[in-house]
Amino acid sequence: MATSLIGRQLALHLQKNLWLGAPGCRYVSKAAAKAEVEFDYDGPSMKTTVPGPRSQALTKQLGDIQNVGAVNFFCNYEESRGNYLVDVDGNRMLDVYTQISSIPIGYNHPALLKLMTNPNNLSTFVNRPALGILPPENFPDKLTESLLSIAPSGMSRVQTMACGSCSNENAYKAMFIWYRNKERGQSGPSAEDISSCMVNQGPGCPDLSILSFTGAFHGRTLGCLATTHSKVIHKLDVPSFDWPIAPFPRLQYPLEEFSRENAQEEARCLEEVEDLIVKWRQKGKPVAGIVIEPIQAEGGDNHASADFFIRLRRIAAKHGCAFHVDEVQTGGGCTGKFWAHEHWGSDDPADIVSFSKKLLTGGYYHKEALQADKPYRIFNTWMGDPSKNLFLCEVLNVIRRENLLEEVARSGKALINGLYELQAQYPGLLSRARGQGTFCAIDVRDDATRDKILVKTRDKGVILGGCGDRSIRFRPALVFKEYHVHLFLNIFNDVLTQFK
Amino acid sequence: MATSLIGRQLALHLQKNLWLGAPGCRYVSKAAAKAEVEFDYDGPSMKTTVPGPRSQALTKQLGDIQNVGAVNFFCNYEESRGNYLVDVDGNRMLDVYTQISSIPIGYNHPALLKLMTNPNNLSTFVNRPALGILPPENFPDKLTESLLSIAPSGMSRVQTMACGSCSNENAYKAMFIWYRNKERGQSGPSAEDISSCMVNQGPGCPDLSILSFTGAFHGRTLGCLATTHSKVIHKLDVPSFDWPIAPFPRLQYPLEEFSRENAQEEARCLEEVEDLIVKWRQKGKPVAGIVIEPIQAEGGDNHASADFFIRLRRIAAKHGCAFHVDEVQTGGGCTGKFWAHEHWGSDDPADIVSFSKKLLTGGYYHKEALQADKPYRIFNTWMGDPSKNLFLCEVLNVIRRENLLEEVARSGKALINGLYELQAQYPGLLSRARGQGTFCAIDVRDDATRDKILVKTRDKGVILGGCGDRSIRFRPALVFKEYHVHLFLNIFNDVLTQFK
């Protein structure tokens, strides 16, 4: 019902837009926008193509200091508001990419600005502590109020870290330590363990492995990178570990139309996982842990069923491997639940869940057993940043107060239905619309066309991101309302007509 | 001359203290303290042993969430000022460890607090950008004003990162990429490079290595950890790379008294470096880069001569290896120059210099040639944090305005001379006093005694850190004046008398 209603709404918007014709004319209700996201603008406003002249000059300036090949444009963060990112040439764009999915509640949210003006918070910003040895007084309370209040099922322990890569690196270390302690039983490390580890050799530095999946992305530091398999540019020329790589299911969409085929594909992948675990054990490189994203993001927004993940978790347990769910991109509410793994409906989803991006601090939750047995095994100078915990507390307050997860579920429905309609309308151009909440994607016929669409959409005032070979990913903030969905679809349709 | 003068001063303080006798009586001039560091307290003030009851209760609370084995005590950062860290039990301690050497200009420096109240800065804190794709307008200027204004000789390019480990991980990647591009010449990666790298295999993921040194510490993520060899607890149970490890010179102190012996030791180590480079090339794991700390910190404050580093850099160049100087702990002014490598007096000290801690942001400088050839090769979501650059600009202003490097040189002389006197006074207890600026250390007869001294000194109101097997390291902030040195030596002497 909701589907057809939203479908009709969308059709109306598209119709209206086609009818209005002239670029710049949009289905925009200022009143509605202001009511829904108070601190938002009422629509995109473009003054130049992007990057404009000021962005180009700054890119040239920065080019003397860094490689600027990835710079899109320069931003005026002071003027950005809610769902709108303003650039240095005065262009105001609807942001459906949000700094690679890392802005939870939009730009310059009043709640976050207010936090900054509270004198009680100042010292948290100017005195960054070494959290592992000298935590601030409010640290346990702030962890309880923020990260523990959203802890995955079965987990009451959390370790903060500075970024996503450090989170995964340390989660892997926790799994290795857990695995070796399990092997040792009551006895401590041997003299040989102790002497060999100092020179990078076994048994102290054991030949353990982490099983990952084709198309996975878990970061770019050397440990993480050994489990990342999304793009050549990430991996080329960097030494790696000989760790097993299982196929991630390559499903057909919409999932509900291909349930039989998809179940077969998932069964094939799970079988391969078990084979690899056995094979690597025989090779003398046992699998200490399995790492997986609930939805592969960077690798092309690849989904798998709840059943797949639950079976995979069982396989991990059966073979004595830890199960690590990497929610760096999927966590924080964008799928309509706080964690994507909640869609599996399991009370015991994982042994470790890592996060970063929208959580503003990196880190990982873990089950009691995965706690390193001694201090300084999982450690670094900063171990996170309490000022980010302050922001996270406030973000969670806003999410609860404004029922943002429900909003995401609602906007997500509008978005996926809009994408279904567009792919029906442009069958040679678009395919494989898919998503959960507003964490959606659609494929374009080839990468060159995808890239052109991204640029043209941006010039019309909407920022999107690519992923995989030829996908577009949608990563709006949690304050992206149905209104914004229709605004986006409207503009997107404008662009697509040029590629028909 | 200065030495004997300071020696006399110290003797006077010690005498005065011994004479006053009662604990808590110190050689403290309130007027002097206030004049020198305006926002400082005038001395330690202890109410309980440390950790006190409130710290113990909070440690218990945090223990339900994390491993708290490394927690010293909980801090009241609001009340901390300048060189003094205040804990939650109202104890005020002179901080000669500064959060593992990461607080540049003391706690709650007025210049940093002021920065927080400037409304123009708010949006930098609440909108953390993906710096690699959407930098803020002031990013090139802020980099120029902060990091580039202190760039090592011969380097005009800098890449920010979130922490020290990420900085080194990415510096290693930059060296690997540079090395392979050098091997390839004009031709791009082969089809085999491209296909093999996606599955962690050579030639795409090549068997390249980084040469590091015994006793080195470069971080704890998997790439960094393969070059870290300071303590078993860091390395045990974590898979590693078969990379070469050369001996770091084990010098005798004071350096000037053992110049002949030390030169021999350094020559032996350099010879070993060349042998290892050749050996690993023959093994099919060529050395792409050499990484070294100007003073090994975590590994026990091990020094080497300027001549050693200059020769090592030449050996690197001769064999086509990049030379990476890790200044994460030594950088930021604590040696009396902004970078410890400046003491070498070389115009071309390195190809890469990494930093973090006192710089408040992680990152690395590099020569033009070490710039990755394509975007997204050195990349992650955040790539640092512009709010930390804001703080760094202000820290640098304070360092310049208050001539803090000169102050460090002055305090450092007082500190090392005081340590020389103490080791003369307690010959069975203390040895090997060494240092550059205030970056000093001294050895204790055994680790158990060292640990007891650290605890007893803390209970008398001075925070120190350990390093290596049985060293004490001194890591005060740059606002640690001669006055604080004498205050510290005074208290330290009080403690040492108990161990005579």
Side-chain angles (χ1 to χ4, degrees):
Chain A
M1 272 200 311
T3 311
S4 66
L5 180 68
I6 291 160
R8 273 202 304 278
Q9 276 186 333
L10 173 68
L12 188 70
H13 300 158
L14 295 177
Q15 207 173 26
K16 205 158 182 177
N17 181 61
L18 290 170
W19 179 69
L20 290 168
C25 284
R26 308 258 175 269
Y27 177 78
V28 171
S29 156
K30 292 188 185 190
K34 284 189 179 155
E36 287 190 55
V37 189
E38 276 176 26
F39 62 103
D40 222 16
Y41 287 106
D42 56 8
S45 161
M46 300 303 288
K47 301 219 158 68
T48 71
T49 55
V50 178
R54 175 84 180 123
S55 267
Q56 288 178 38
L58 286 166
T59 304
K60 196 165 171 295
Q61 189 189 342
L62 186 60
D64 290 336
I65 307 173
Q66 303 185 332
N67 184 319
V68 289
V71 170
N72 292 348
F73 54 85
F74 278 73
C75 305
N76 182 338
Y77 287 104
E78 289 73 21
E79 292 298 318
S80 300
R81 296 272 181 285
N83 291 286
Y84 293 90
L85 179 59
V86 175
D87 78 3
V88 291
D89 291 283
N91 299 299
R92 183 207 302 157
M93 291 162 269
L94 181 67
D95 193 352
V96 194
Y97 193 43
T98 58
Q99 312 289 328
I100 321 180
S101 202
S102 67
I103 299 287
I105 53 172
Y107 296 101
N108 287 307
H109 195 288
L112 303 187
L113 290 170
K114 196 176 160 202
L115 180 153
M116 293 289 300
T117 58
N118 182 342
N120 295 335
N121 292 329
L122 292 190
S123 101
T124 304
F125 288 90
V126 303
N127 306 298
R128 188 176 186 177
L131 275 174
I133 57 170
L134 296 164
E137 182 161 20
N138 67 1
F139 187 55
D141 282 346
K142 284 287 163 194
L143 282 181
T144 304
E145 193 185 326
S146 60
L147 287 166
L148 288 179
S149 77
I150 45 165
S153 177
M155 298 188 192
S156 59
R157 303 183 80 82
V158 68
Q159 181 59 63
T160 55
M161 287 284 159
C163 71
S165 285
C166 279
S167 306
N168 284 341
E169 290 272 343
N170 281 285
Y172 296 176
K173 282 173 61 173
M175 295 194 285
F176 291 132
I177 291 168
W178 163 81
Y179 192 90
R180 285 292 289 136
N181 279 341
K182 204 164 47 112
E183 284 187 329
R184 283 192 196 103
Q186 292 305 313
S187 58
S190 68
E192 203 189 349
D193 283 343
I194 286 168
S195 61
S196 61
C197 80
M198 292 298 274
V199 289
N200 296 13
Q201 303 297 319
C205 293
D207 251 344
L208 295 176
S209 61
I210 302 286
L211 183 143
S212 57
F213 290 84
T214 53
F217 183 90
H218 300 291
R220 300 155 187 261
T221 49
L222 268 63
C224 293
L225 200 54
T227 57
T228 285
H229 317 283
S230 47
K231 285 182 193 133
V232 169
I233 201 83
H234 306 150
K235 306 230 353 140
L236 187 69
D237 298 342
V238 184
S240 196
F241 292 102
D242 177 30
W243 290 354
I245 308 156
F248 192 90
R250 189 75 188 157
L251 303 189
Q252 297 179 65
Y253 302 90
L255 296 175
E256 46 286 7
E257 282 181 29
F258 296 94
S259 47
R260 201 176 50 83
E261 296 87 339
N262 289 341
Q264 277 177 355
E265 166 66 356
E266 291 186 339
R268 178 186 76 85
C269 294
L270 290 172
E271 206 171 303
E272 183 80 9
V273 167
E274 286 216 66
D275 287 352
L276 287 168
I277 293 174
V278 172
K279 202 169 154 192
W280 252 254
R281 193 189 301 139
Q282 286 165 351
K283 272 174 91 163
K285 300 177 180 179
V287 175
I290 295 176
V291 64
I292 196 162
E293 299 150 277
I295 304 169
Q296 284 193 335
E298 180 71 22
D301 272 40
N302 304 314
H303 292 247
S305 71
D307 186 59
F308 171 81
F309 290 105
I310 289 168
R311 281 169 193 263
L312 182 63
R313 202 245 181 291
R314 268 191 227 128
I315 290 172
K318 175 181 159 191
H319 291 276
C321 318
F323 188 58
H324 171 183
V325 176
D326 176 348
E327 292 247 23
V328 167
Q329 188 153 167
T330 49
C334 44
T335 67
K337 294 188 185 282
F338 200 88
W339 302 108
H341 70 249
E342 291 177 64
H343 293 281
W344 309 344
S346 167
D347 288 343
D348 182 28
D351 298 304
I352 292 204
V353 172
S354 58
F355 54 83
S356 189
K357 288 189 183 264
K358 279 197 179 62
L359 280 287
L360 305 178
T361 172
Y364 63 93
Y365 299 94
H366 58 88
K367 303 199 94 171
E368 188 86 24
L370 272 286
Q371 174 75 69
D373 54 332
K374 289 198 174 57
Y376 294 110
R377 302 197 73 171
I378 301 291
F379 191 86
N380 60 47
T381 298
W382 286 322
M383 298 186 89
D385 183 341
S387 73
K388 307 299 181 191
N389 299 3
L390 280 188
F391 282 130
L392 178 59
C393 284
E394 209 44 52
V395 165
L396 295 177
N397 286 340
V398 169
I399 290 176
R400 286 168 189 137
R401 197 166 58 223
E402 302 184 5
N403 290 314
L404 290 183
L405 297 189
E406 282 174 37
E407 292 283 348
V408 167
R410 196 174 300 128
S411 304
K413 267 190 191 150
L415 179 56
I416 192 69
N417 286 321
L419 295 174
Y420 286 150
E421 298 215 13
L422 287 175
Q423 82 181 10
Q425 206 174 331
Y426 303 96
L429 183 63
L430 301 180
S431 64
R432 300 177 81 239
R434 56 207 183 271
Q436 209 159 36
T438 55
F439 196 102
C440 292
I442 197 161
D443 280 11
V444 181
R445 66 175 166 234
D446 56 59
D447 58 345
T449 308
R450 188 263 315 263
D451 294 348
K452 273 183 211 151
I453 289 174
L454 292 179
V455 169
K456 292 224 175 233
T457 310
R458 192 172 66 186
D459 280 339
K460 285 195 170 273
V462 175
I463 302 167
L464 298 172
C467 67
D469 295 331
R470 54 196 186 87
S471 303
I472 295 174
R473 57 176 152 175
F474 306 101
R475 298 290 187 272
L478 308 181
V479 293
F480 192 78
K481 306 295 172 80
E482 269 189 278
Y483 162 83
H484 300 99
V485 173
H486 296 305
L487 183 57
F488 153 67
L489 290 168
N490 205 346
I491 296 171
F492 197 43
N493 183 56
D494 268 11
V495 172
L496 294 172
T497 52
Q498 303 171 39
F499 289 86
K500 207 166 182 179
Chain B
M1 273 200 312
T3 308
S4 65
L5 181 68
I6 291 161
R8 274 201 304 278
Q9 276 187 335
L10 172 67
L12 187 70
H13 300 158
L14 294 178
Q15 209 173 24
K16 205 160 183 175
N17 181 61
L18 289 170
W19 181 66
L20 289 169
C25 283
R26 306 261 172 268
Y27 178 78
V28 170
S29 156
K30 292 189 185 191
K34 282 190 179 155
E36 287 190 57
V37 188
E38 277 177 25
F39 62 103
D40 221 13
Y41 286 107
D42 56 9
S45 163
M46 300 304 288
K47 301 220 157 68
T48 72
T49 55
V50 178
R54 176 83 181 123
S55 267
Q56 289 179 35
L58 286 165
T59 304
K60 195 163 171 295
Q61 189 189 344
L62 186 60
D64 289 337
I65 307 172
Q66 303 185 334
N67 184 318
V68 287
V71 170
N72 292 349
F73 55 85
F74 278 72
C75 305
N76 182 338
Y77 287 104
E78 290 73 21
E79 292 299 319
S80 301
R81 295 271 182 285
N83 290 287
Y84 292 90
L85 180 59
V86 175
D87 78 2
V88 292
D89 291 283
N91 299 300
R92 183 207 300 156
M93 291 162 268
L94 181 67
D95 193 353
V96 193
Y97 193 44
T98 59
Q99 313 289 328
I100 322 179
S101 202
S102 68
I103 300 286
I105 53 173
Y107 297 101
N108 287 308
H109 195 288
L112 303 186
L113 289 169
K114 194 174 161 205
L115 180 152
M116 292 290 299
T117 58
N118 182 342
N120 294 335
N121 292 330
L122 292 189
S123 102
T124 304
F125 288 91
V126 303
N127 306 297
R128 188 175 187 178
L131 275 173
I133 58 171
L134 296 164
E137 182 162 20
N138 67 2
F139 186 56
D141 283 346
K142 285 287 163 195
L143 282 181
T144 304
E145 192 185 327
S146 60
L147 288 166
L148 288 178
S149 77
I150 45 166
S153 177
M155 297 186 193
S156 59
R157 303 183 81 80
V158 68
Q159 181 59 63
T160 55
M161 287 285 159
C163 70
S165 286
C166 278
S167 305
N168 284 341
E169 290 273 341
N170 281 283
Y172 296 175
K173 283 173 62 175
M175 295 195 283
F176 292 132
I177 291 168
W178 163 81
Y179 192 90
R180 286 290 289 135
N181 279 342
K182 204 163 49 113
E183 284 187 329
R184 282 193 197 102
Q186 291 305 310
S187 58
S190 68
E192 203 190 348
D193 283 341
I194 286 168
S195 62
S196 61
C197 80
M198 293 297 274
V199 289
N200 296 12
Q201 303 297 320
C205 292
D207 252 343
L208 295 177
S209 61
I210 302 286
L211 182 142
S212 56
F213 290 83
T214 53
F217 183 89
H218 301 291
R220 300 156 187 261
T221 48
L222 267 66
C224 293
L225 199 55
T227 58
T228 286
H229 317 284
S230 47
K231 286 184 192 129
V232 169
I233 202 82
H234 305 151
K235 304 227 359 135
L236 186 69
D237 299 341
V238 185
S240 196
F241 292 103
D242 177 30
W243 290 354
I245 308 156
F248 191 90
R250 189 76 188 156
L251 303 189
Q252 297 179 66
Y253 302 90
L255 296 176
E256 47 284 9
E257 282 180 28
F258 298 92
S259 48
R260 201 176 50 85
E261 294 88 337
N262 289 341
Q264 276 177 356
E265 165 67 356
E266 292 186 339
R268 179 187 75 86
C269 294
L270 290 172
E271 206 172 302
E272 183 81 9
V273 167
E274 284 215 69
D275 285 353
L276 286 168
I277 293 173
V278 172
K279 202 169 154 194
W280 251 254
R281 192 190 302 136
Q282 285 164 352
K283 271 174 92 164
K285 300 177 180 180
V287 175
I290 295 175
V291 64
I292 196 161
E293 298 150 276
I295 303 170
Q296 284 192 336
E298 180 70 22
D301 272 40
N302 305 314
H303 292 247
S305 72
D307 186 59
F308 171 81
F309 290 105
I310 289 167
R311 281 169 195 265
L312 181 64
R313 201 244 182 292
R314 267 191 228 128
I315 290 172
K318 174 181 159 193
H319 291 276
C321 318
F323 188 58
H324 171 183
V325 176
D326 176 347
E327 293 247 23
V328 167
Q329 188 153 166
T330 49
C334 43
T335 67
K337 294 188 186 282
F338 200 88
W339 303 107
H341 71 249
E342 290 177 65
H343 293 281
W344 309 342
S346 167
D347 288 344
D348 182 27
D351 298 306
I352 292 203
V353 172
S354 57
F355 55 83
S356 189
K357 289 189 181 263
K358 279 197 179 60
L359 279 287
L360 305 178
T361 172
Y364 62 93
Y365 299 93
H366 59 88
K367 304 199 92 169
E368 187 86 25
L370 272 286
Q371 174 75 70
D373 54 331
K374 288 198 175 57
Y376 295 110
R377 301 197 74 172
I378 302 291
F379 191 86
N380 60 46
T381 299
W382 287 323
M383 298 185 90
D385 183 342
S387 73
K388 308 299 182 191
N389 300 2
L390 280 188
F391 283 129
L392 178 58
C393 284
E394 209 45 52
V395 165
L396 296 177
N397 286 339
V398 170
I399 290 176
R400 286 168 189 136
R401 199 167 57 223
E402 303 184 4
N403 291 314
L404 290 185
L405 297 189
E406 283 173 38
E407 292 283 348
V408 167
R410 196 174 302 129
S411 305
K413 266 189 193 149
L415 179 57
I416 192 69
N417 286 322
L419 294 175
Y420 286 150
E421 299 214 13
L422 286 175
Q423 81 181 9
Q425 206 174 330
Y426 303 96
L429 183 63
L430 301 179
S431 64
R432 300 177 81 238
R434 55 208 184 272
Q436 209 158 37
T438 55
F439 195 102
C440 292
I442 197 161
D443 279 11
V444 181
R445 66 174 167 237
D446 56 59
D447 57 346
T449 308
R450 187 263 315 265
D451 293 349
K452 273 184 214 150
I453 289 176
L454 292 179
V455 169
K456 292 225 175 232
T457 310
R458 191 172 68 186
D459 280 339
K460 285 196 169 270
V462 174
I463 303 167
L464 299 172
C467 67
D469 296 330
R470 53 193 187 90
S471 304
I472 295 174
R473 57 177 151 176
F474 307 100
R475 297 289 187 275
L478 307 181
V479 292
F480 191 78
K481 304 296 170 78
E482 270 189 277
Y483 162 82
H484 300 98
V485 172
H486 296 304
L487 184 57
F488 152 68
L489 290 169
N490 207 348
I491 296 171
F492 196 43
N493 182 54
D494 269 8
V495 173
L496 294 173
T497 52
Q498 303 171 40
F499 290 87
K500 209 168 180 177

